[in-house]
Amino acid sequence: MSAALKVVRAGLFDTLQDLGRTGFMALGMPTAGAMDRIGLGLANALVGNPQHTAGIEIGVMGPDLLVEADSVRVALVGPLSPQLIDGPDAPPKPLDSDRSHLLKRGQTLRVGMIEGASTAYVAVAGGFALPSFMGSLSTYSRAGIGGFDGRKLAAGDLLPLAKASVPAVNERKLAQPFDYGSGPIRVIWGPQEDYFSEAGRKTFVESEYRVSKEADRMGIRFEGPVIAHAKPVDKGGADIISDGIAPGAIQVPGAGLPIVLMADRQTVGGYPKIATVASVDLPRLGRLLPGQTVRFAAITVEEAEALRRDQEARLQRAIAGFAVARPPGGIDLVRLYEENLIDGVVFDSPWNVTSKPSSAEGGTK
């Protein structure tokens, strides 16, 4: 019997994503990949996977997943309130997020809603036994490639697991939620900031912008003050010869409102780009919900590189600082193995409990 997770109830927009299909934009292939690489990396680390392993990216509301394997270790990362269902008639039991869990055959993981963000992750130990496309399992649904049949997960899907079972070991959890930062979204001017007037550039960095309902894995359209182009729009002020699109590129079409291009962005575009989001803040953008607001602040390339290095160092410290996640009423195996198992209370028969003397009282070592 093959090991799998069965989708018994689909979420809103859940796809398999790793860190993306890099190196093929010159061939017209978008990278796709996780909207929040930090969340995916933490989830993978909690179950012992390399950080680039494909996991399930949850979009707003997650699925119900039935375990069709002897056992599977999963980790959930993000502001979730998941539940475990032990059988068809069993009531749901609450689970914690930001930690790993050992699940057994017949149990159902109800991922549930994300609270206050748009994105969360589920990783499984060993990953999914699915073929890669151009070196990646990332789903690019617009072209129907990658992931599971190139689309979002649907009820009835069987996600094959690379491991049929996993050993029972201490589960792990984040010592504290990862700090994504706050304040303005940091950007680097360009590459076409000269296509905007001085007043337009000032508007961009001094105004508040709201995430519109037109926000998805391809890009985030913002609502707010109009950014003025240097030339009239009817005279080509909002047009350039199409060029490459970097992650976080901020296009401003003729309407004068910014669009931040994200994981499923196209490879080239013909609107001028006033700025590009520093990579340190792309995970923050990948978690935004419609109606949430941001401001933008310009920094230098050197500052952006330093911020990203610091973020990567903090991520590695968070992984190194994972704590033991002791289940309610469960046993902390690490603490147990560290204790002196000779001393203390022992059971010498099924009915009699005796207190064994310590070595200081003449007990045997």
Side-chain angles (χ1 to χ4, degrees):
M1 183 182 296
S2 61
L5 290 179
K6 181 177 181 179
V7 180
V8 294
R9 185 185 61 82
L12 186 62
F13 196 92
D14 308 320
T15 57
L16 294 184
Q17 301 292 341
D18 52 28
L19 293 183
R21 192 168 285 105
T22 57
F24 300 102
M25 288 187 70
L27 303 178
M29 177 57 64
T31 59
M35 292 281 277
D36 172 12
R37 56 180 170 76
I38 292 173
L40 176 62
L42 288 170
N44 273 317
L46 282 167
V47 294
N49 292 341
Q51 291 183 46
H52 63 266
T53 305
I56 303 175
E57 181 175 276
I58 308 302
V60 182
M61 182 182 72
D64 288 0
L65 301 170
L66 173 65
V67 178
E68 295 191 351
D70 291 339
S71 60
V72 61
R73 178 160 287 106
V74 304
L76 302 100
V77 170
L80 294 161
S81 297
Q83 296 176 315
L84 180 66
I85 303 172
D86 277 324
D89 300 319
K93 301 176 183 177
L95 293 179
D96 290 333
S97 189
D98 289 348
R99 59 157 288 174
S100 64
H101 297 274
L102 179 65
L103 307 182
K104 301 294 183 66
R105 185 180 297 277
Q107 293 182 318
T108 297
L109 172 65
R110 174 164 292 168
V111 177
M113 295 288 296
I114 307 175
E115 302 166 7
S118 64
T119 307
Y121 291 89
V122 176
V124 300
F128 295 99
L130 288 166
S132 64
F133 180 80
M134 291 178 128
S136 172
L137 272 182
S138 286
T139 307
Y140 181 55
S141 58
R142 283 178 169 81
I145 61 173
F148 189 89
D149 288 347
R151 56 170 173 78
K152 68 178 183 179
L153 301 183
D157 288 345
L158 282 173
L159 306 178
L161 300 173
K163 293 184 176 181
S165 63
V166 295
V169 297
N170 277 332
E171 303 306 326
R172 300 192 291 177
K173 66 178 181 179
L174 272 68
Q176 58 188 14
F178 189 83
D179 181 8
Y180 285 78
S182 58
I185 298 295
R186 278 75 61 94
V187 302
I188 297 95
W189 287 117
Q192 286 101 26
E193 74 272 26
D194 57 326
Y195 270 66
F196 302 87
S197 67
E198 182 178 348
R201 294 193 296 270
K202 186 176 180 181
T203 297
F204 173 66
V205 294
E206 292 185 358
S207 302
E208 184 175 82
Y209 288 89
R210 184 180 304 275
V211 179
S212 76
K213 294 180 180 179
E214 296 180 78
D216 58 18
R217 286 183 43 83
M218 185 173 184
I220 302 172
R221 289 180 179 266
F222 287 93
E223 299 169 341
V226 170
I227 299 167
H229 293 80
K231 296 179 181 179
V233 172
D234 59 0
K235 297 189 181 300
D239 299 306
I240 62 170
I241 296 174
S242 293
D243 63 1
I245 302 290
I250 306 174
Q251 288 187 335
V252 184
L257 295 176
I259 304 170
V260 180
L261 297 172
M262 301 296 287
D264 284 357
R265 67 195 181 280
Q266 69 273 29
T267 58
V268 297
Y271 295 124
K273 296 169 284 295
I274 191 171
T276 304
V277 175
S279 63
V280 68
D281 282 341
L282 283 175
R284 286 175 60 194
L285 283 177
R287 293 159 56 90
L288 290 178
L289 285 167
Q292 294 179 331
T293 59
V294 301
R295 302 180 78 92
F296 298 98
I299 61 174
T300 66
V301 171
E302 293 74 19
E303 288 171 326
E305 291 173 345
L307 288 166
R308 175 63 183 270
R309 285 193 295 267
D310 175 71
Q311 185 182 66
E312 290 298 318
R314 290 190 295 109
L315 175 59
Q316 295 310 311
R317 288 197 297 270
I319 292 171
F322 285 162
V324 172
R326 183 176 179 179
I331 297 175
D332 182 337
L333 296 178
V334 173
R335 289 288 302 277
L336 178 64
Y337 297 153
E338 289 175 348
E339 293 296 327
N340 180 352
L341 301 182
I342 299 299
D343 293 350
V345 176
V346 297
F347 292 81
D348 60 358
S349 78
W351 302 276
N352 298 322
V353 180
T354 62
S355 178
K356 188 168 184 176
S358 70
S359 56
E361 300 170 328
T364 304
K365 281 193 175 181

